[in-house]
Amino acid sequence: RMGWVLCFYLYWENRQARETNKPHNYTAKLLVQIAIYKEPVEVVYETVEVLANTSSAKRMTICLAMEERDPNSRNKANQVIQKYQGCFDSIVATFHPANIPGEQAGKNSNITWAFNTMIQSIQSDREKGINTRQWDLFFVLDIDTQHSSEYYRRCEYLWANLPKEDQGKVIFTCPIHFNRNYKEVALPVRIVDTCWSVAILSTIYPGSLAKIPISTYGGSVDLVKRVGGWDADVFGIGDDFHIMLKTYFESGGSVKMISVYTPASQLHVDCTRVNMTGFIGDSYARFNQGIRHLWGTIEFSYAMDMIFQNPAILLKVQTWLVLLKVFEQSFFLLHCYIVSWCILYPQKTIWQIIFYTWTNAIWMAFCWFIFVQFIEKKWGRTYQLSDKVITFISILLIGPFITVVYTMIPIAYVQIHHIFSIEFNGWNVSTKIKDEKKKDGEMEKILADSTAVSYTHLTLPTIYSVQISVVAVSLKKKKILSYSVES
């Protein structure tokens, strides 16, 4: 699949570049939301500076989505606004309060608050008789995300050339590339992030009906407004994946998922946020990030909930492909090459499985090498040849195994937490919501939240049990595990 994806990527990237480099009258108004929490102001400067140098800057509203939990947030926001005032259409800051009942702390609740605040500001202006134009497109960035000017031009071009009735149904996704601090992080961290970026690329090829936005994404403001914005509860933990699922199901499957073949530049996670240094610190930080990423496995329960509410959507082929992507994320065995091959080919010996695994790793390493060669022309941040060779060889030697440490173990931990922890226990959550909201008479909301959490306890244990059974049967056929059929 990666071979076809790479060919498609190279072809469509050149095609998009030819189209968007032609003269166009870009008029879209853009809302760029940057999620910020305790990052140094210098990191914020770097990201905003890149935005200020894009050709779309004068049509951008920059929203610094700050957290009140950060005691330095207001001072930091004022510094950034003062420095870049006049570089954009406007630059503002929002401050997400802590401890809002029913919310899950994180990027999703921060972005939810920021988006709602910005929309309310438009409505407030109109109530005062000020005819403020609403934004056409929104973009969500992590603080370390940098897009080239070409990315925004392509999004505007692709949006403007859609039929009018489809312009309010768009979600944009793009590849990501970790290329700015690769020399400062431990080698296993570099390898797992490399495999992660290649895996993302494999889902957004032209013709894919289930393009998963990861970390940074964009789309139509009208679309997000129509579905009520992001969700700030436990089901919205993975804001990127969740907004795609929510817009898809609540729009009846009419969302237009569009790939923009201009990769975002991002940083590898490092030890700056943990009380460790060096190899151990980087590895521990990456393991924790893997756990944060994989909280999104709860999306399988959310998808089931939406299907129970609207079974007719299963008549769409696209729905089954979307569900397959959600299932791939929730099925932790698929995140380990060796275990996956054991399941696919139970009749093969363990040495044949290892050979197939390394064949897969060789192809992934080759695709990464070609991908890097191509996108370096865009960003100009080149790997040293020695670094490319080391990364290539490392993907072959340790790539199939580090997925166990950085992906398979975190996803198993997260699923156990989803099933047994008090935060995801249906009775405790519904009781807490009832205690906090009964005075407002929001019984319908209480019932909905309680029902949604109960689906988590129905579907996740089922998935978890199936995975254990599949492993047991597979290992039995390999004669690695001995047990009776009756047991």
Side-chain angles (χ1 to χ4, degrees):
R1 184 173 68 174
M2 275 306 306
W4 285 109
V5 167
L6 194 63
C7 292
F8 275 127
Y9 177 86
L10 298 178
Y11 170 76
W12 280 91
E13 200 285 334
N14 281 316
R15 177 171 174 175
Q16 284 187 356
R18 288 196 304 269
E19 291 175 346
T20 54
N21 286 337
K22 298 175 183 177
H24 293 287
N25 182 25
Y26 295 108
T27 60
K29 192 174 179 181
L30 315 180
L31 172 63
V32 180
Q33 302 176 96
I34 308 173
I36 305 170
Y37 178 59
K38 289 189 176 180
E39 287 82 6
V41 70
E42 292 77 16
V43 176
V44 184
Y45 284 157
E46 184 180 355
T47 299
V48 178
E49 181 70 30
V50 172
L51 290 167
N53 290 325
T54 64
S55 59
S56 307
K58 291 298 183 181
R59 288 177 284 105
M60 285 182 178
T61 294
I62 305 299
C63 175
L64 306 175
M66 316 292 291
E67 291 277 7
E68 280 191 351
R69 290 178 294 150
D70 178 5
N72 196 37
S73 60
R74 295 189 181 275
N75 181 48
K76 191 187 308 180
N78 289 335
Q79 292 179 52
V80 177
I81 291 173
Q82 289 176 9
K83 182 172 181 178
Y84 291 99
Q85 194 75 48
C87 296
F88 305 97
D89 180 34
S90 62
I91 177 170
V92 299
T94 60
F95 300 91
H96 174 227
N99 302 320
I100 296 178
E103 279 197 355
Q104 186 77 18
K107 178 184 172 185
N108 62 309
S109 55
N110 188 4
I111 292 297
T112 300
W113 179 271
F115 184 81
N116 292 339
T117 301
M118 298 304 292
I119 295 300
Q120 288 170 8
S121 70
I122 293 285
Q123 295 172 347
S124 177
D125 286 347
R126 291 178 177 175
E127 290 173 0
K128 296 175 183 177
I130 304 172
N131 189 21
T132 304
R133 178 186 167 191
Q134 180 181 278
W135 302 279
D136 300 300
L137 299 174
F138 76 90
F139 297 94
V140 174
L141 278 62
D142 288 339
I143 189 58
D144 66 329
T145 302
Q146 295 182 8
H147 285 293
S148 67
S149 181
E150 193 172 356
Y151 170 77
Y152 298 101
R153 288 204 312 271
R154 290 191 187 188
C155 290
E156 291 181 76
Y157 173 82
L158 294 168
W159 173 80
N161 283 273
L162 288 172
K164 286 291 184 182
E165 61 271 18
D166 291 336
Q167 289 183 350
K169 305 176 183 178
V170 174
I171 289 289
F172 293 117
T173 185
C174 70
I176 61 175
H177 181 45
F178 301 90
N179 66 332
R180 303 212 308 275
N181 65 335
Y182 69 94
K183 288 187 176 182
E184 287 79 39
V185 298
L187 183 61
V189 175
R190 190 196 310 178
I191 300 309
V192 75
D193 281 341
T194 297
C195 295
W196 180 254
S197 63
V198 173
I200 292 170
L201 181 64
S202 71
T203 69
I204 63 173
Y205 56 90
S208 170
L209 297 178
K211 299 173 181 177
I212 310 300
I214 300 294
S215 181
T216 178
Y217 54 97
S220 306
V221 170
D222 284 340
L223 175 65
V224 178
K225 281 181 60 181
R226 194 158 57 248
V227 301
W230 288 258
D231 290 328
D233 58 11
V234 293
F235 284 100
I237 289 176
D239 65 295
D240 39 20
F241 201 173
H242 184 76
I243 196 64
M244 185 276 286
L245 289 178
K246 185 177 183 181
T247 53
Y248 177 80
F249 285 112
E250 296 203 10
S251 67
S254 63
V255 170
K256 306 295 179 183
M257 303 178 192
I258 300 179
S259 300
V260 183
Y261 297 106
T262 302
S265 171
Q266 292 195 333
L267 295 172
H268 292 281
V269 66
D270 58 25
C271 59
T272 54
R273 282 197 176 185
V274 296
N275 296 322
M276 302 178 186
T277 58
F279 178 90
I280 299 298
D282 289 345
S283 300
Y284 180 70
R286 185 59 184 82
F287 182 82
N288 283 339
Q289 187 185 55
I291 291 176
R292 289 197 302 273
H293 286 167
L294 294 167
W295 284 124
T297 56
I298 201 172
E299 297 296 350
F300 187 85
S301 298
Y302 175 79
M304 292 297 100
D305 183 22
M306 300 304 291
I307 287 173
F308 290 144
Q309 293 181 32
N310 181 21
I313 201 169
L314 288 173
L315 297 176
K316 286 178 169 284
V317 174
Q318 187 177 9
T319 301
W320 291 96
L321 296 175
V322 169
L323 286 176
L324 176 62
K325 294 299 181 184
V326 180
F327 188 71
E328 284 179 358
Q329 185 191 42
S330 301
F331 202 71
F332 72 75
L333 301 181
L334 298 178
H335 292 261
C336 178
Y337 294 150
I338 291 180
V339 177
S340 298
W341 283 110
C342 287
I343 296 170
L344 292 171
Y345 299 102
Q347 73 279 11
K348 303 293 184 182
T349 67
I350 191 66
W351 294 110
Q352 288 175 314
I353 294 299
I354 291 175
F355 172 76
Y356 293 151
T357 300
W358 270 322
T359 302
N360 191 9
I362 289 171
W363 187 238
M364 176 174 281
F366 173 75
C367 290
W368 169 82
F369 189 84
I370 300 299
F371 180 59
V372 168
Q373 292 291 111
F374 185 76
I375 66 176
E376 280 180 344
K377 298 177 182 178
K378 302 290 181 185
W379 280 103
R381 297 186 178 96
T382 58
Y383 283 82
Q384 298 294 326
L385 179 60
S386 59
D387 292 317
K388 292 179 183 178
V389 173
I390 290 173
T391 302
F392 186 93
I393 294 174
S394 299
I395 293 175
L396 304 183
L397 297 180
I398 65 175
F401 304 102
I402 61 174
T403 54
V404 175
V405 177
Y406 290 106
T407 306
M408 189 173 176
I409 294 176
I411 200 171
Y413 167 81
V414 165
Q415 289 193 351
I416 292 172
H417 186 279
H418 283 174
I419 295 169
F420 297 110
S421 71
I422 191 171
E423 292 89 348
F424 290 87
N425 181 280
W427 171 254
N428 283 285
V429 171
S430 60
T431 302
K432 181 180 178 182
I433 294 172
K434 183 176 180 179
D435 290 341
E436 292 169 345
K437 296 186 176 181
K438 61 184 179 181
K439 59 184 178 183
D440 298 325
E442 298 184 13
M443 296 306 296
E444 185 176 346
K445 177 72 166 89
I446 295 168
L447 179 61
D449 287 340
S450 179
T451 304
V453 176
S454 70
Y455 282 126
T456 306
H457 286 260
L458 173 66
T459 55
L460 285 180
T462 303
I463 296 173
Y464 196 68
S465 301
V466 168
Q467 293 176 95
I468 294 174
S469 302
V470 170
V471 171
V473 171
S474 179
L475 294 180
K476 169 65 176 177
K477 291 186 177 181
K478 295 285 181 299
K479 298 183 179 181
I480 297 172
L481 180 66
S482 177
Y483 63 94
S484 66
V485 174
E486 290 78 8
S487 65

